[in-house]
Each structure stands twice: as C-alpha cells, then as structure tokens.
Amino acid sequence: MTLLERDSALASLAEYAREARAGEGRVVLVGGEAGVGKTALVEAFTRGREKERVVWAMCDGLFTPRPLGPLFDIADEIGLDVTVGRDHLFAATLRALKDVDVLVIEDLHWADEATIDLVRYLGRRLRGTVAVLTYRDDGLAPGDPLRVALGDLGTERGTRRIGLAPLSEPAVRALAEERGVDPAELYRLTGGNPYFVTELVRDGTAGIPASAADAVLARAARLEPRSRAVLDTAALIGLRVDPRLLAAATGAPPEALDALVASGLLTGDATGLRFRHELARLAVEQALPPHRVAAAHAAVLAALQRLGSGDDASMAHHAEAAADSAAALHHAVRAAKAAAGLRSHREAAAQYHRAVRADGNDPRLLDALAFELSMIDAWTGVAEAAERARVLWRAAGDGRREGNALRMRSAAWVSLCRGEEALADAEAAIAVLEPLGPGKELARAYAHLAKQRMLADRHSEAADLARRAQAIAAPLGRHDLLSDTLNTESVARLMQGEEWLPLMRRALDVAIAHGHDEKAGRAYTNLYGLLCRARRFGEAEPVYHEAIAYCDEHDVDTYGTCLRGERAASLARMGRWDEALVLCRQVLTRVEEASPINRIYPLYVNATIRARRDEDGVWEALDEAAASADGCGEPQWIVKARLGRAEAFWLAGKVSDARAEAELADDASARADGWLRGWVATWLGRTGSDRPARGVLAEPFALEVAGDFAGAARAWEALGCPYDAALARLGAGDEDSLRHALAVFGDLGAAAAVRVARQRLRDAGARSIPAGPRTATRANQHGLTRREQQVLDLVAEGLTNAEIAGRLVLSVKTVDHHVSAVLGKLGVATRAEAARKAG
C-alpha cells in the first residue's frame, strides 16, 4: 500500500543520513502513536541503500526484557564481543558502529534500563552513523526513564526529532477509494491511524469490521486449524519469532509457518519471523481461550530448554505464565543477577519481584529486591520488601541480616520524608547489631545513622559515628563505606567551623579509585553543594561540570538529580533565573513519582523565582515542599521551604504571614551554620520579627542585620548574587539605594520585587519612578533582553558560541549563559528549535 503523507519525513531522514556521512553523527528520534507507521517509514528510508551498511535491532515488550537485548541481537552482525563488562561493551559498540551507516533500533518504549543508557552513551559520541530510534510517544509518563532519556538526548547537538501524525482525511479517502470502502466511515473508525486503515482496507470484506482487531482475527480464522494453533503460540512468544523455537514448541512443519506468512499476519526476513505489527499480535493473544494459555507457555519453555537458550528473562516469563514456580524462580534470579550486572536495575527489580512471587519466604530475595528498588528510587517498595525481610530474618535468628533490613527500611523512610520512623529504625538497627560485634552490617548502620545525625545538625555525634564506622570498614577493605563516612565527617566538620575540603576530596578520590560510582556521586554532590553554600561559585563551577559528567557517564541518576537541583539553586542565586527554571523542570520531571525529598530543592527554587516574577504556580510548589520538609524533619529543608513561603508572602504584601513563616524557619535553625542562620536572620528583620539573630552569621547577612545595607549589598555583589544585593539595598530606604534595587529587579524580570521597590520609592517621596521592566525586554514577544535577542539572531544564523562571542566582543562563558537563558525563555531544548522559533 502506498506510503502517504510521509515525503517530508523521508526527506528529513535522507538529509540527516547525509549529515552523518559527513562525519557529524545523527540520532533521529521518530515518535508517534502505535500504528502510525514508524516502522513503515524506516523501512521505506532503508530501501535502496544496498551500498550502505544498515543494522536493524528492536526491543520486545512481551516480557521483562533481557538487558541490552537489541545489542545482543546485532552483536554477531557488527562483530561485537558481548562477554566483556558493561563499560567496555559500550565503548566497543561505539567502535563497531564506525563501519555502520544506519543503525535502527525499533520500539524504544520497551527498552530496558541498560539499553536506554547505551542510547544516551551513543547519542553523545556517534560519528559517521545515523541512528534511527522509533518509539511510541503516547502513554509515556512524565517520569518514565525513556522520557527522561529523550529529554537528555534532545539537548545534544546531533539529535533530531521526527513526529508522525495520523493520516489526514483526504489521505484516508485515497486509500479507501482503491478498495471501494466508504471513506467517511473508514476515517471515523480509524482516526487516520495508518495501521488501522490498512487492516480494515486489507480485510477485503463487503462491510467494514468494527475494529482492526476484528480484521486481524477474520484473517486468522481463514487459516487451517494447525496453522492457527501455531499462530496462537507465536503470539505468546513475542513480536519477533524465532522459527526454530516456534517449530520446536508446536511441532509445526515448514508449510504451517509458510501459511502464516502468506496470510499477511507475519512477515519473514533473514533474521526470522515477526508479526507485522504489535497490535496484530495483541489481537491474536487476547483472543486465546484462557485454558490454553498455560499449556502453550509450558510448551515454549520446554522448547527453549531443549534448544539450550541462555535467555533467562524469556524463560522466567514463560515459566511464570505456565505456573511452573520452580522454573520461574530459577530463571528469574539468574535474569535479575544478569540485569544488575549490566546496571539495568529496573529489569533486575522486576525479575526479583517475579522470584518473590514464586517464593515469598526467602528473605535473601527480599533483600535483593529492596536493594534493586533503592537503585531506581522506588522507596515505598523498598520499605515493604525490607520489612518482610526483617520479619523473616528475625524468625530465622539472623540478627546481622535483621539489622541490615532495619537500616534499609530506615533509608526508605528518609527518602519518603518520614523522619521519625527513619530515626527509629536507624537506632533499632544499631541496637540489634552492636551486641553481635564488628562487621560490615554494623559499619553500614553507623554510617547511615551518622548521615541522619549530620542532616539533623547534630554534627559532633555525626563525626563520632562516622569515625566508628571507619574503624570497622578500613580493616575489612570496605572502601565504599570509607568514602561514605569520610564524606559525612567532612560535612560535619564544615558545620562546626573546621577544615573540611581535604577530607571531602579524599572521600571522592577513594570512591573513584575503587569504582564505587554511587559514593563518588555523593561526594561530588556534597563538594559542589558546600562550595555553593559558601557562595564560592568560581571554585564550584568546574566541580559541577566534572561532577555531572561523571554521574551521567556512570548512570548515578540519584546524585545526578541532586546535583541538578543544587545547580538550579546556585543559578538562582547568581541571577540566572531562566537557566535555573529549565533545570528545575528537568529535575521535577525526573523525580515526579519518586523520592519526595529530591523534589524539595527544585520546588523551592521554581516557586521563589515565580513568586519574584509574579507568576502562577507558586503555592502548589511551596505547599508540597513544606509538607515534605516537615515530614523529613531535616533543618536545612525546613528552613528553605519556610523561607520560600516567607518571601512569597512578603512579596505579596502579607507581612504577618511572612513573619510567621520566618519564625518557623528560625525554630529549625538553632544548630545551623552561619549561612543558614544569617538567611533566617535577614528574613526575621524584613518581616518585623522581634526575635534576635542567633550566633555568628556569614558576612553579608551580618552586615545587613547590623544595618550596614550598603556594605551588605557590596558583599553580595562581590559574591555574584544580584538579587540578594538588591534586597539589601531595598532595606537601606534612601532613594539612590531604592532606585538601584529597582533597576536590578527590573533586569531580572522580578515584577513582584519591582512592585515592592516602587512602593518604597513612593513612600520616600521620589518622583519619576520607572513604570516596570525595561521597555526593550517588555516589547520582545518572548521577554528577551536586547542582548539575548542579538544572541538568538546569531544562533539562527548557525554561529557557534565561540563565533558569537567574537562577533559581540563577549566571553564565550557569557555567551553560554545568554544561550541558556534564551532556551529557557523560549521553552525549547536545542539551538535548532530556538532558531526555528526565531524565524
């Protein structure tokens, strides 16, 4: 059937392939709903490329997938040794693809975690190859790993997108008229979905069936009984079907398989058989009588075993469906271990879930499940699995493992912002473990409680617990625990005014040297965060770029998310609000359904910037942040959430409400450092609270509390914090200071703060008060400043940041900042999208 309304998409693919051949490398994301014609498009694109090397792989959604399944499928074809470790395998894949012109990976929405990581890896490095990745874009949850990966890929310069829409009514009419079908009725039934249209037109009956599934089943009904039974088994095997496996499972002769291809339900090529579309497979599978399903799965499992299959993921699926608990347990555990070895933690967790369904009384399985769930931020599941394991270990009289389960459940409560329960479990774990003497479990428990004490601002206790953990961990060679506790001790030292940086650097070095990626991620996050806490942005900048590259490269997503949240806060302090908001959106998308604690910082940053700009969406974010902060009980989060609310109330003129929030922040800051206490003290002063400042404050805050507003402003400006400087000048009250503050607020687009400054000027009797944001910015349809518009124009011309810097006589770093701000204001992820919007 003719491929209609796809000329533009085909032309784009051809152009991207030419660009790739020129050495650039391209990743093309082809998205659309099920049945919209993604495969048909890519097949049309690859036809006629006999002189080029095209490699085709696919993901299968029938069962929990085998990690890196698409890569294993093409390994022989590209000469790849798959027995090496994951990092070496990724590098080897990149080298092997240098001789491939076109790489196609279909149905990426079914990809396992390791395959998604591989796509990320290739997306940053491909040269000379065009990688075409198809996926369904309907039904992807905001926090789905693929959606997050697509967002990351979208920021790469070599990424392109093609979105396929359903066929128009005229196109459906053209297809309908070929077969004498009522075009209006066909369009009404299909909505222009090419697969549905094709199935209904191909059915060849006088009337139009009620659905495409009916059309598929009508064609299946014409098969001989033997071939129909083979078709049913094929539907249980998956979208792609190995003819040897199908023959072994059914005893079907070759002519029965030929009949399936002749029917048009399956297609065949050099790699085997496949259903023409997943929707066709589903139609056949869902029509199977339930009493036949288990026996068919058992036959497939037996055939896989006879053929010597090494695909434990597939065998675990068929074993469970066949109600063979012993086989399901055996293969699920093997599949889980293999997935974990490839860092495909979602698939590992799914397989351990399957193993637990087969045998729910083995606490070792529950321990493994809890760990894998912790790696994917699924903390409610961690708490449940750890509790079940604790009960079983206690019944078995194994105190060490009971204590470890308590520690794991405590970690879950921390991430779920249930601070009291977290502390109770952490202390209970130590109570169970200490009588049993030193061991790795006790070291872990000390290390975990040390972190909780540190986060509760009980720094002396934290440092003591960290050192006790180190004393146990070092002789055992537990470098992961050594790094973790050095990290905690470093933070505790800083909070007590002691030297901290060498200890944190050592924590990072130990983690990297011994390959403990997660601990390295934590060390990087705290190193960057503590530098930013002290507003040492110049030192922090290279740390961030090094840290985020490490976390992304090593798939340390939890700390990559934390780093981005910390970065958003730092950008906000430096007045780079648009960049901060872009990062906030990325982080909140990543953790939409995961750890509440990881959402607090981006919620706070997002809300305060919006409050300053007098935009919507402030209170929903602040309410969530405050609820999570109160739940976790950690002073740093309580202070941030409450001062965010205080500022929002103050900007809205609700001073008494702002004062109440500032005093709640003060209640939580008794043991905090000078930066946090100083922040609280200034807001107590701004809101008219009679509470005194506590202890020694960081210099800019101390100057402001002492009434030296000009000195405070200069200190903030020296640190690179324009909004804080403007707030300090606002406190001075004289007309020059107020006008200076008003100008800064205007440049930042802080409409609510502008309103406050203008009122202060009126109260001071000033005349000729500016009306609002600068005219040029206000007049620009996207809210761009004059300089940002200049940068956008040059981006649209195709200039690099270095070329733009030369043209405008700016530093490349300044241009980087302008480009990030432009992308944020335009709401786009790439320069190409910005250029199109500019046009």
Side-chain angles (χ1 to χ4, degrees):
M1 192 166 287
T2 308
L3 194 64
L4 295 176
E5 299 185 329
R6 298 296 184 248
D7 290 347
S8 175
L10 284 170
S12 294
L13 281 171
E15 176 61 25
Y16 302 150
R18 284 193 292 272
E19 293 171 353
R21 282 198 302 275
E24 284 293 312
R26 289 289 179 262
V27 172
V28 185
L29 306 174
V30 181
E33 66 183 39
V36 81
K38 300 181 290 293
T39 298
L41 174 73
V42 180
E43 286 174 342
F45 164 65
T46 56
R47 278 196 295 270
R49 293 183 175 269
E50 290 79 8
K51 294 182 180 180
E52 298 181 8
R53 191 174 180 198
V54 179
V55 174
W56 202 295
M58 63 183 295
C59 307
D60 197 325
L62 180 57
F63 47 80
T64 302
R66 179 187 187 185
L68 294 176
L71 184 58
F72 281 83
D73 288 343
I74 63 172
D76 289 342
E77 189 175 354
I78 63 175
L80 186 65
D81 177 7
V82 295
T83 63
V84 297
R86 180 182 128 138
D87 292 341
H88 293 298
L89 183 57
F90 281 17
T93 302
L94 183 66
R95 290 193 297 271
L97 290 176
K98 288 181 179 178
D99 296 326
V100 173
D101 297 292
V102 180
L103 168 67
V104 179
I105 303 180
E106 280 205 89
D107 296 325
L108 203 62
H109 50 276
W110 284 324
D112 64 281
E113 191 174 3
T115 297
I116 290 174
D117 290 340
L118 174 64
V119 166
R120 275 199 185 107
Y121 178 90
L122 295 176
R124 293 191 287 267
R125 298 168 176 81
L126 272 181
R127 295 292 180 271
T129 302
V130 58
V132 183
L133 313 176
T134 73
Y135 66 98
R136 292 184 192 168
D137 58 10
D138 53 333
L140 277 182
D144 187 284
L146 176 59
R147 186 177 289 279
V148 173
L150 293 175
D152 292 343
L153 281 170
T155 65
E156 299 295 332
R157 61 178 301 193
T159 298
R160 302 292 184 267
R161 292 179 184 268
I162 294 176
L164 296 183
L167 299 177
S168 67
E169 192 166 357
V172 173
R173 184 181 304 113
L175 291 173
E177 288 172 352
E178 292 179 7
R179 296 295 183 93
V181 176
D182 180 356
E185 181 68 1
L186 184 61
Y187 187 75
R188 185 188 69 78
L189 285 172
T190 65
N193 182 287
Y195 172 73
F196 295 155
V197 171
T198 302
E199 286 303 305
L200 298 189
V201 170
R202 278 184 175 178
D203 180 59
T205 58
I208 298 179
S211 71
D214 290 340
V216 169
L217 295 176
R219 199 172 322 138
R222 300 179 192 128
L223 293 168
E224 294 291 336
R226 180 74 177 270
S227 294
R228 175 58 194 268
V230 175
L231 177 69
D232 291 344
T233 300
L236 297 178
I237 291 174
L239 184 59
R240 184 168 46 190
V241 182
D242 182 344
R244 294 184 311 141
L245 173 59
L246 187 56
T250 63
E255 54 268 24
L257 303 187
D258 293 341
L260 300 185
V261 176
S263 73
L265 292 166
L266 270 67
T267 61
D269 57 29
T271 65
L273 301 174
R274 60 175 288 174
F275 278 85
R276 205 165 54 79
H277 198 281
E278 169 66 5
L279 295 172
R281 189 198 68 78
L282 283 173
V284 175
E285 180 190 29
Q286 291 168 3
L288 265 170
H291 66 273
R292 290 181 48 201
V293 172
H297 277 291
V300 175
L301 174 63
L304 284 166
Q305 292 168 335
R306 288 196 303 274
L307 293 170
S309 172
D311 189 349
D312 285 295
S314 177
M315 288 191 280
H317 163 74
H318 291 295
E320 185 176 35
D324 186 341
S325 297
L329 176 63
H330 173 75
H331 291 295
V333 171
R334 286 171 57 90
K337 290 178 178 178
L342 291 169
R343 299 183 207 152
S344 200
H345 297 294
R346 291 181 185 278
E347 286 63 45
Q351 294 295 356
Y352 277 124
H353 268 302
R354 175 175 277 134
V356 168
R357 289 195 295 270
D359 181 1
N361 294 313
D362 186 341
R364 294 170 301 177
L365 297 177
L366 290 161
D367 282 346
L369 172 60
F371 175 78
E372 293 302 330
L373 289 171
S374 75
M375 297 300 289
I376 60 173
D377 231 13
W379 292 102
T380 299
V382 173
E384 293 170 354
E387 170 57 12
R388 290 176 64 185
R390 182 196 68 79
V391 171
L392 291 168
W393 287 126
R394 184 176 180 81
D398 193 326
R400 291 192 186 277
R401 287 176 166 171
E402 178 191 353
N404 192 60
L406 280 164
R407 177 195 59 80
M408 182 61 86
R409 189 172 67 171
S410 174
W413 296 144
V414 169
S415 291
L416 293 170
C417 293
R418 294 167 63 171
E420 291 184 5
E421 292 150 290
L423 182 59
D425 273 354
E427 292 175 338
I430 288 175
V432 169
L433 291 166
E434 278 187 330
L436 303 176
K440 64 184 179 186
E441 294 86 3
L442 181 58
R444 282 199 196 107
Y446 281 148
H448 176 67
L449 184 58
K451 281 187 275 191
Q452 287 190 268
R453 294 287 192 246
M454 178 263 290
L455 293 170
D457 287 342
R458 295 165 63 174
H459 300 299
S460 177
E461 295 174 58
D464 177 63
L465 283 163
R467 286 189 287 268
R468 289 164 74 181
Q470 291 166 27
I472 300 172
L476 296 175
R478 294 304 303 258
H479 297 101
D480 55 338
L481 287 171
L482 182 59
S483 171
D484 204 39
T485 51
L486 288 169
N487 187 327
T488 300
E489 185 183 357
S490 171
V491 178
R493 282 190 181 185
L494 177 141
M495 297 302 177
Q496 296 178 97
E498 301 173 10
E499 180 60 50
W500 64 278
L501 190 55
L503 208 61
M504 186 66 75
R505 288 286 187 187
R506 185 180 166 210
L508 178 59
D509 291 343
V510 167
I512 291 176
H514 295 278
H516 296 296
D517 297 341
E518 185 188 12
K519 303 308 179 186
R522 181 178 181 237
Y524 267 128
T525 299
N526 282 344
L527 174 59
Y528 176 69
L530 294 178
L531 289 170
C532 290
R533 187 186 187 98
R535 278 62 170 179
R536 292 161 64 175
F537 300 124
E539 294 174 68
E541 188 76 10
V543 171
Y544 173 76
H545 293 293
E546 179 183 325
I548 203 66
Y550 184 93
C551 288
D552 287 350
E553 188 76 23
H554 294 81
D555 307 307
V556 188
D557 285 345
T558 297
Y559 288 111
T561 296
C562 293
L563 272 166
R564 288 179 170 89
E566 192 73 61
R567 176 68 167 176
S570 302
L571 291 170
R573 290 176 187 140
M574 291 185 281
R576 294 160 60 180
W577 291 358
D578 293 303
E579 295 172 75
L581 288 174
V582 169
L583 265 182
C584 286
R585 284 195 293 270
Q586 290 179 4
V587 173
L588 292 172
T589 297
R590 284 171 178 262
V591 296
E592 183 177 46
E593 298 172 355
S595 317
I597 202 163
N598 282 343
R599 292 175 58 83
I600 298 175
Y601 220 169
L603 284 167
Y604 156 76
V605 173
N606 181 69
T608 51
I609 293 174
R610 291 187 179 282
R612 294 165 188 174
R613 287 179 164 177
D614 208 13
E615 296 176 348
D616 295 332
V618 172
W619 287 103
E620 298 92 330
L622 289 176
D623 288 345
E624 182 186 337
S628 294
D630 290 345
C632 75
E634 294 178 19
Q636 63 164 328
W637 297 127
I638 294 172
V639 169
K640 288 180 177 71
R642 291 298 165 184
L643 290 187
R645 295 171 69 83
E647 183 179 352
F649 277 129
W650 180 79
L651 288 169
K654 299 179 179 180
V655 178
S656 61
D657 291 328
R659 184 184 313 122
E661 295 287 349
E663 290 177 350
L664 287 172
D666 184 50
D667 292 341
S669 67
R671 297 190 182 95
D673 69 337
W675 287 98
L676 215 57
R677 286 198 307 268
W679 190 19
V680 171
T682 55
W683 278 104
L684 289 172
R686 285 182 194 126
T687 58
S689 175
D690 57 6
R691 293 192 183 187
R694 299 173 186 259
V696 178
L697 311 181
E699 181 193 16
F701 296 119
L703 290 169
E704 185 166 351
V705 168
D708 184 359
F709 298 104
R714 288 192 295 272
W716 282 122
E717 286 163 354
L719 291 171
C721 303
Y723 184 75
D724 291 294
L727 285 178
R729 292 190 188 281
L730 202 62
D734 63 278
E735 186 172 336
D736 285 346
S737 296
L738 292 173
R739 287 187 180 278
H740 193 156
L742 178 61
V744 172
F745 292 146
D747 284 342
L748 291 170
V754 163
R755 188 169 57 243
V756 173
R758 293 180 70 243
Q759 184 59 51
R760 296 279 179 94
L761 280 166
R762 283 195 294 269
D763 293 343
R767 298 182 179 181
S768 303
I769 301 170
R774 294 186 175 182
T775 304
T777 301
R778 188 173 63 246
N780 187 285
Q781 62 173 323
H782 300 298
L784 303 181
T785 64
R786 180 182 60 82
R787 179 66 81 188
E788 288 167 350
Q789 185 61 55
Q790 288 178 324
V791 169
L792 176 58
D793 291 340
L794 295 175
V795 166
E797 288 182 27
L799 272 64
T800 66
N801 284 9
E803 291 167 338
I804 294 172
R807 182 81 64 89
L808 298 180
V809 195
L810 298 171
S811 72
V812 175
K813 187 174 180 181
T814 298
V815 173
D816 290 342
H817 294 165
H818 283 313
V819 170
S820 295
V822 167
L823 297 181
K825 288 184 179 181
L826 296 181
V828 298
T830 67
R831 299 165 71 92
E833 291 176 283
R836 285 194 292 273
K837 213 159 187 178

